[in-house]
């Protein structure tokens, strides 16, 4: 549905914008961001991998001053599930949104 597409697009935009703005401290360095979207059964799964500084959006607290609060908090409110792991110096964030009834 249009709503589902808008929600997952907003989640992707906010997460990638935060990675670019806060995740890379060394200028003129090549960095890696991989964004993938798949539909599995009744949900969309957005996976974002990056090699920026360690940042777990599931542990983010509203009062942290180093990062902008609006994007991460908004994503956490609009998605059904968010998970994070750090593997081989890579942040791996997964966002799930359950599809609306009748959307296929």
């Amino acid at each position: 549905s249009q709503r589902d597409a808008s929600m997952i697009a907003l989640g992707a935009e906010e997460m990638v914008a935060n990675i670019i703005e806060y995740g890379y401290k060394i200028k003129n360095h090549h960095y890696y961001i991989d964004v993938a979207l798949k539909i599995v059964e009744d949900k969309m799964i957005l996976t974002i991998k990056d090699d920026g500084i360690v940042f777990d959006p599931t542990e983010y607290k509203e009062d942290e001053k180093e990062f902008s609060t609006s994007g991460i908090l908004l994503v956490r409110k609009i998605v059904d599930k968010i998970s994070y792991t750090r593997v081989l110096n890579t942040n791996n964030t997964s966002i799930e949104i359950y599809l609306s009834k009748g959307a296929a």
Side-chain angles (χ1 to χ4, degrees):
S1 73
Q2 181 67 35
R3 179 195 172 283
D4 295 335
S6 295
M7 292 297 103
I8 205 72
L10 179 60
E13 181 180 354
E14 290 295 336
M15 296 301 292
V16 171
N18 277 328
I19 292 166
I20 292 168
E21 186 170 349
Y22 302 109
Y24 300 130
K25 300 294 184 184
I26 302 170
K27 302 299 180 203
N28 298 320
H29 185 283
H30 295 284
Y31 291 104
Y32 166 84
I33 300 175
D34 178 69
V35 180
L37 176 67
K38 63 183 174 181
I39 297 176
V40 177
E41 297 175 9
D42 64 342
K43 61 188 166 190
M44 290 186 293
I45 303 172
L46 177 72
T47 305
I48 304 170
K49 298 177 182 181
D50 71 89
D51 63 350
I53 63 169
V54 177
F55 181 75
D56 180 351
T58 67
E59 296 291 321
Y60 180 73
K61 304 292 186 254
E62 187 172 356
D63 61 348
E64 288 187 32
K65 302 296 184 217
E66 185 176 349
F67 303 100
S68 169
T69 61
S70 60
I72 299 297
L73 296 177
L74 176 62
V75 169
R76 288 190 354 202
K77 287 180 182 179
I78 65 170
V79 303
D80 294 301
K81 181 179 177 183
I82 185 168
S83 59
Y84 171 85
T85 58
R86 178 84 178 178
V87 178
L88 298 174
N89 295 321
T90 302
N91 296 304
N92 297 276
T93 304
S94 178
I95 296 170
E96 295 182 16
I97 294 180
Y98 295 108
L99 297 172
S100 301
K101 298 282 190 230

